[in-house]
Amino acid sequence: MRGFKNSILVVVSAFLLLSTTAAESANKRLINHDETLNRYVIHYPVKHPKNARGIMKWLTRNRFDVAGVNWRKGTIEVITNDEGVRVIEKALRKREIRGKIVEKQGGGFQREDAIDQRYLNPERLTGRLKALNEEFPEITRLEQIGKSNEGRPIWALLVSSTPKASDPKALAKPSILFDGMHHAREIMTPEIVLDVAESLLRGVVAQNRRAEQLLTRWNVWVVPMLNVDGNHIVWTKNNWWRKNARSEGNKVFGVDINRNYPYRWGDCNGSSSMKSSDTYRGESASSEPETQALINLAMKIRPAASLSYHSYGELILYPFSCEGDLTGENELLKRVAGELSERLPSDRGQGNYTTGTSWQILYAVDGASKDFMFAAFGALAYTFEVNQAFQPPYELRNPTLKKHRVAWKYFLDRIDRNLLKLNVVDGTTGESVLAQLSISTIAHKKGERPFETNKAGYFFKVLDPGTYTITARLEDGRSGKLSVEMLGSPKEATLTVQ
């Protein structure tokens, strides 16, 4: 064990001693789709992602594009140009850490078989969503929630027994939000999110009682492909592209959508201000149409839970993502992550998904979607890093969908049986009202917004068994309290403010 710890110290020292000047020069230019890029793999002797944090911090601080981590094999994959390879190798040399180029891609889109043509692209996804809506018009609603920089529609599909926007019963039900493809090259993620909708709808067709119950009790929103422009680039120009298609004139540099959310945007060295960086956060918080689309949907539905799919690394990440930050609900988030991990074996059958916050097992991140969903709505929010490659063979698609189907179905059952449905009523008028809420056992110390009912006066929260004191405050300053005991089953309560 002593030798193992010493090897980690050597790794960290090697990267901290390296001047950042050379690294910055390797990454300072705007992205050129015609330049040669390399998949470069660093091998290091570790047994857990936490032990690679020194390398990860150095790579992200110097704006290298970290494609993914396979901690079981002890590898970090980086996509960089030839100059970047030389900088990394300078840090590795004489430190007993190995690295090598495993694939070199010349200028532009190199080969038609770079991605299996059976994976979803924006056009095929649109067709699949429209077909589902046409087949199930009574329990789905297809909604364009935004439009990309290049004018492509961003779609969300609602699966619910109350799909009509005008139905007041929909506001008396909690919502869960599934999203995929924040990052353009992560081609498995739309497949998983679309499968959520298709599986639930297949369950209804088969008269599966649990599927019918879930759609009666929940509004299930799926956004399979948020980054439609970036994915178009992946299919036509550069299959390693990560960001969106933000441009200057005809020069596309892109913004990392998952560094563009307003919660702690650019606040903890978890993103870059350099347009050339693959973690470029944009000119301002929420500057990107894709980010705005998901935020606006979330503001409308106020999700009680949120699952976001990324790749790769076989990880389950939960808030918060800035160094040292934990939420007031960390124990619940950690416990549920562990339960999900038990249902998500590794693709290679060696262990299960690893759980933790981003800063604990990867690196600091600011402006991330899961942190926004938690801080803005109190949503039980997770990010899944799926598979061990961001473009795995298509033969891995069905096994991936199958294992994640087990996980998200468990998650739906888990949150459903621990859900508090609270209605706040004005004692003077007898009407449901908008209110801000606080819960006695949940501390907000990191800039989270107060809990809040939706416009119909309903609030939904996942709470483990226990007794909770809830305080409601109306816009006119009046307040009231209610003690609620959760027993591991769904609970409905009314808090009347006199």
Side-chain angles (χ1 to χ4, degrees), residues 227-246:
N227 191 355
V228 286
D229 285 351
N231 189 244
H232 177 74
I233 292 173
V234 164
W235 283 99
T236 59
K237 294 181 181 179
N238 179 353
N239 64 294
W240 293 344
W241 187 252
R242 169 183 166 98
K243 299 183 285 182
N244 73 357
R246 176 64 68 183

Side-chain angles (χ1 to χ4, degrees), residues 17 179 252 261:
L17 287 171
D179 72 75
V252 175
Y261 288 87

Side-chain angles (χ1 to χ4, degrees), residues 68-135:
V69 181
N70 185 334
W71 66 268
R72 290 182 178 87
K73 292 176 65 177
T75 60
I76 299 174
E77 182 177 324
V78 181
I79 295 178
T80 187
N81 54 25
D82 291 342
E83 189 174 355
V85 169
R86 287 192 290 273
V87 171
I88 294 173
E89 289 188 334
K90 181 178 179 181
L92 301 180
R93 195 175 299 126
K94 297 180 181 179
R95 302 291 178 176
E96 297 183 354
I97 305 172
R98 297 182 297 112
K100 66 177 181 179
I101 296 172
V102 296
E103 184 178 352
K104 183 183 286 285
Q105 178 172 295
F109 186 66
Q110 289 303 291
R111 58 192 190 280
E112 291 185 358
D113 65 343
I115 308 175
D116 193 301
Q117 297 294 308
R118 291 172 289 181
Y119 277 110
L120 293 167
N121 62 20
E123 293 73 30
R124 284 196 290 274
L125 175 66
T126 296
R128 294 273 288 276
L129 290 172
K130 288 183 176 180
L132 287 176
N133 183 226
E134 290 171 2
E135 185 177 356

Side-chain angles (χ1 to χ4, degrees), residues 122-123 125-126 130 143-148 150-156 225-229:
E123 293 73 30
L125 175 66
T126 296
K130 288 183 176 180
E143 186 172 319
Q144 182 176 329
I145 59 173
K147 186 178 288 187
S148 69
E150 295 183 344
R152 293 182 176 84
I154 302 169
W155 297 107
M225 186 180 291
L226 190 63
N227 191 355
V228 286
D229 285 351

Side-chain angles (χ1 to χ4, degrees), residues 159-410:
V159 183
S160 173
S161 64
T162 53
K164 294 182 180 179
S166 59
D167 190 342
K169 293 180 182 178
L171 290 171
K173 295 166 58 175
S175 293
I176 181 172
L177 177 58
F178 293 82
D179 72 75
M181 196 169 280
H182 271 78
H183 297 139
R185 64 197 178 198
E186 298 172 3
I187 59 177
M188 187 67 79
T189 64
E191 307 282 345
I192 297 172
V193 177
L194 181 63
D195 182 66
V196 173
E198 292 181 337
S199 295
L200 290 172
L201 293 170
R202 285 196 302 268
V204 171
V205 170
Q207 297 183 325
N208 179 281
R209 183 171 175 269
R210 187 55 182 147
E212 293 174 344
Q213 286 179 334
L214 284 170
L215 298 193
T216 299
R217 290 180 51 78
W218 285 81
N219 300 311
V220 180
W221 286 89
V222 299
V223 182
M225 186 180 291
L226 190 63
N227 191 355
V228 286
D229 285 351
N231 189 244
H232 177 74
I233 292 173
V234 164
W235 283 99
T236 59
K237 294 181 181 179
N238 179 353
N239 64 294
W240 293 344
W241 187 252
R242 169 183 166 98
K243 299 183 285 182
N244 73 357
R246 176 64 68 183
S247 63
E248 291 176 347
N250 62 357
K251 188 71 174 180
V252 175
F253 55 86
V255 171
D256 184 343
I257 302 169
N258 205 39
R259 302 296 188 276
N260 190 239
Y261 288 87
Y263 179 74
R264 299 207 66 176
W265 177 82
D267 195 34
C268 67
N269 296 315
S271 60
S272 176
S273 62
M274 299 283 290
K275 292 177 181 177
S276 59
S277 170
D278 272 278
T279 59
Y280 174 53
R281 58 180 169 260
E283 291 187 357
S284 60
S286 312
S287 61
E288 301 312 294
E290 299 87 355
T291 315
Q292 293 166 17
L294 202 64
I295 288 174
N296 290 338
L297 175 61
M299 294 295 289
K300 180 172 68 174
I301 69 174
R302 302 193 67 82
S306 169
L307 300 184
S308 185
Y309 291 83
H310 292 244
S311 63
Y312 67 87
E314 299 186 328
L315 309 173
I316 303 172
L317 307 173
Y318 49 86
F320 284 128
S321 302
C322 286
E323 187 78 28
D325 283 0
L326 296 173
T327 74
E329 298 179 68
N330 185 68
E331 289 306 310
L332 173 61
L333 289 163
K334 181 179 179 180
R335 187 183 314 114
V336 174
E339 294 166 10
L340 290 168
S341 172
E342 292 173 2
R343 290 155 178 85
L344 285 171
S346 166
D347 289 345
R348 294 181 174 88
Q350 300 172 338
N352 291 57
Y353 277 42
T354 302
T355 69
T357 65
S358 297
W359 63 267
Q360 287 174 329
I361 59 176
L362 285 175
Y363 38 73
V365 174
D366 46 34
S369 68
K370 69 179 181 303
D371 295 347
F372 169 77
M373 295 297 174
F374 180 88
F377 310 110
L380 206 62
Y382 293 91
T383 290
F384 295 87
E385 296 282 354
V386 308
N387 301 132
Q388 285 294 352
F390 53 75
Q391 291 166 7
Y394 194 77
E395 288 69 27
L396 200 55
R397 174 185 178 273
N398 284 342
T400 300
L401 299 192
K402 184 177 180 180
K403 75 170 69 173
H404 278 277
R405 202 177 296 142
V406 171
W408 62 255
K409 284 184 177 181
Y410 170 80

Side-chain angles (χ1 to χ4, degrees), residues 39 59 140 158 195 219 233 275 298 394 419 423 426:
R39 288 176 58 205
L59 289 168
T140 65
L158 169 63
D195 182 66
N219 300 311
I233 292 173
K275 292 177 181 177
Y394 194 77
L419 185 76
N423 183 211
D426 185 330

